[in-house]
Amino acid sequence: MFSKTCEYAIRAVLYIAQMSKNGEKVSIKSISKGIDSPEHFIAKILQELSKKGLVQSLKGPTGGFYLSEHSKKHSLADIVKAIDGEKIFTGCGLGIGQCSEEFPCPIHNDFKVIRKKLFDLLQKTKVNEFNTQLEAKLAFLKKNHT
Amino acid sequence: MFSKTCEYAIRAVLYIAQMSKNGEKVSIKSISKGIDSPEHFIAKILQELSKKGLVQSLKGPTGGFYLSEHSKKHSLADIVKAIDGEKIFTGCGLGIGQCSEEFPCPIHNDFKVIRKKLFDLLQKTKVNEFNTQLEAKLAFLKKNHT
DNA sequence: TTTATAAAAGATATTTTTATCTTTTATCGA
DNA sequence: TCGATAAAAGATAAAAATATCTTTTATAAA
Ligand code: FES
Ligand code: FES
């Protein structure tokens, strides 16, 4: 569905949202452990998200990643777009050049409904809305939640 | 959503279904043109689908690809499983080890609904059900339908 | 001001996906 | 039986995704 990079990205942002909710900053090491991803790889991904303004960061001691008030309101769709692009939301399910009503692929009519539902879900979901669930361990960001 | 390989695979099978509906056989060259895919690449993919019994083939002059009565009843989900595996139907949307009710990721509850809808759509759709639409040019398998 | 820290940036490596090319095998028709 | 045809099989190549390592820069605290 999403690229691995994108999966890591979403999990990282949700992790940062939870861990920084009272103004703390979160290190790459902590994120890497918290979402079970390769440390250097998630660093690269966060660099990209930082450039695009989806997360904030500060260098140096006591530095780390956090979310501005604005960034807390970003949606999961924003992250997917930043990493994987728009294809999943607007592209043809069978990969013909362009999705269009005029020259539809065979599954166009059914597929566009599902694609829309996926977009709506990701669009309405904001990155800071899972903080309490994560805190209460009612939701998880990695397999080994021990 | 699907890999490029999988997109080609589905389009190829739909093309074969249409072109071979009266017992004709379809060459790789024809398929490659009909769905606008690299000739050698679609050959490899069809080899795989043939091994797995999703399409039939015959070598030699007048040879080519076709669908047995049984193969005509296969679903798009069967093709997706054969090429991309089950991940898209059963895997976690955020890529944590396993999707489970017990240790769900934050989007689990919403995501599983969409994943299910996608599966149901692909499962109920059989490869031979677009023959007349394709014939009538009401649906297309490539961008340049000229 | 110096030192330690942590992210940014840049370079490199590995793996997987996508694509191409060549040789072999099966089958048909002459 | 022979030659042409078309897919199967195997080898190789190119591109993209994933991952790692090293150096640089910014920042804070001592
Ligand atoms: S044309 Fe294929 S999904 Fe719209
Ligand atoms: S655990 Fe993530 S989708 Fe079920």
Side-chain angles (χ1 to χ4, degrees):
Chain A
M1 186 77 72
F2 310 121
S3 70
K4 218 167 172 185
T5 305
C6 189
E7 292 173 348
Y8 287 148
I10 295 172
R11 280 152 59 196
V13 174
L14 297 185
Y15 183 80
I16 295 169
Q18 189 221 340
M19 298 297 280
S20 73
K21 59 173 183 274
N22 300 120
E24 305 91 330
K25 299 193 192 69
V26 196
S27 74
I28 283 174
K29 243 186 242 308
S30 166
I31 297 167
S32 162
K33 278 182 192 161
I35 70 171
D36 194 23
S37 72
E39 194 176 320
H40 288 108
F41 192 42
I42 198 63
K44 269 286 173 243
I45 297 169
L46 287 169
Q47 224 178 83
E48 192 66 19
L49 291 177
S50 173
K51 268 186 198 162
K52 299 195 174 173
L54 291 171
V55 304
Q56 281 64 47
S57 70
L58 198 68
K59 290 182 181 179
T62 77
F65 291 88
Y66 62 99
L67 300 183
S68 66
E69 284 310 308
H70 181 246
S71 287
K72 287 177 187 169
K73 301 302 172 198
H74 272 128
S75 70
L76 300 190
D78 293 330
I79 302 172
V80 172
K81 280 185 202 166
I83 303 292
D84 283 352
E86 300 246 348
K87 183 174 184 252
I88 196 165
F89 300 134
T90 60
C92 169
L94 298 189
I96 66 178
Q98 257 220 317
C99 173
S100 86
E101 295 291 335
E102 201 186 355
F103 298 108
C105 76
I107 64 170
H108 172 79
N109 283 293
D110 289 318
F111 187 75
K112 73 178 177 190
V113 174
I114 290 170
R115 205 177 52 182
K116 176 78 160 49
K117 279 186 199 297
L118 179 65
F119 178 70
D120 289 347
L121 159 62
L122 295 172
Q123 181 74 359
K124 76 156 203 280
T125 306
K126 307 306 176 188
V127 299
N128 69 340
E129 75 182 54
F130 300 109
N131 295 350
T132 53
Q133 279 182 64
L134 289 168
E135 184 75 43
K137 294 194 182 301
L138 296 174
F140 304 86
L141 291 173
K142 63 172 175 179
K143 186 166 154 189
N144 289 324
H145 30 70
T146 51
Chain B
M1 184 76 72
F2 311 121
S3 70
K4 219 167 171 183
T5 305
C6 189
E7 292 173 348
Y8 286 148
I10 295 173
R11 280 152 60 196
V13 174
L14 297 185
Y15 183 79
I16 295 169
Q18 189 221 339
M19 298 297 281
S20 74
K21 59 172 181 276
N22 299 121
E24 306 91 328
K25 299 193 192 70
V26 197
S27 73
I28 284 174
K29 243 188 244 307
S30 165
I31 296 167
S32 163
K33 278 181 192 160
I35 70 171
D36 194 22
S37 73
E39 192 176 319
H40 287 109
F41 192 42
I42 197 63
K44 268 286 171 237
I45 297 169
L46 287 170
Q47 223 178 84
E48 192 67 18
L49 291 177
S50 173
K51 269 187 197 163
K52 299 196 174 172
L54 292 170
V55 303
Q56 281 63 48
S57 70
L58 199 68
K59 292 182 182 179
T62 76
F65 292 87
Y66 61 99
L67 300 183
S68 67
E69 286 308 308
H70 181 246
S71 287
K72 287 176 187 169
K73 301 301 173 199
H74 273 127
S75 69
L76 300 190
D78 293 330
I79 302 173
V80 172
K81 279 185 202 165
I83 303 291
D84 283 352
E86 300 246 347
K87 185 175 184 250
I88 197 165
F89 300 134
T90 61
C92 169
L94 299 187
I96 67 179
Q98 256 220 317
C99 174
S100 85
E101 295 291 336
E102 202 186 352
F103 299 108
C105 77
I107 65 169
H108 173 78
N109 283 291
D110 290 318
F111 187 75
K112 73 178 177 190
V113 174
I114 289 170
R115 206 178 51 184
K116 175 78 160 47
K117 278 185 199 297
L118 178 65
F119 178 70
D120 288 347
L121 159 61
L122 295 172
Q123 182 74 359
K124 77 157 202 282
T125 306
K126 307 306 175 188
V127 300
N128 69 340
E129 75 181 56
F130 300 109
N131 295 350
T132 53
Q133 280 182 62
L134 288 168
E135 185 75 43
K137 294 194 181 301
L138 296 174
F140 304 86
L141 292 172
K142 63 173 176 180
K143 187 167 154 187
N144 290 323
H145 28 71
T146 53

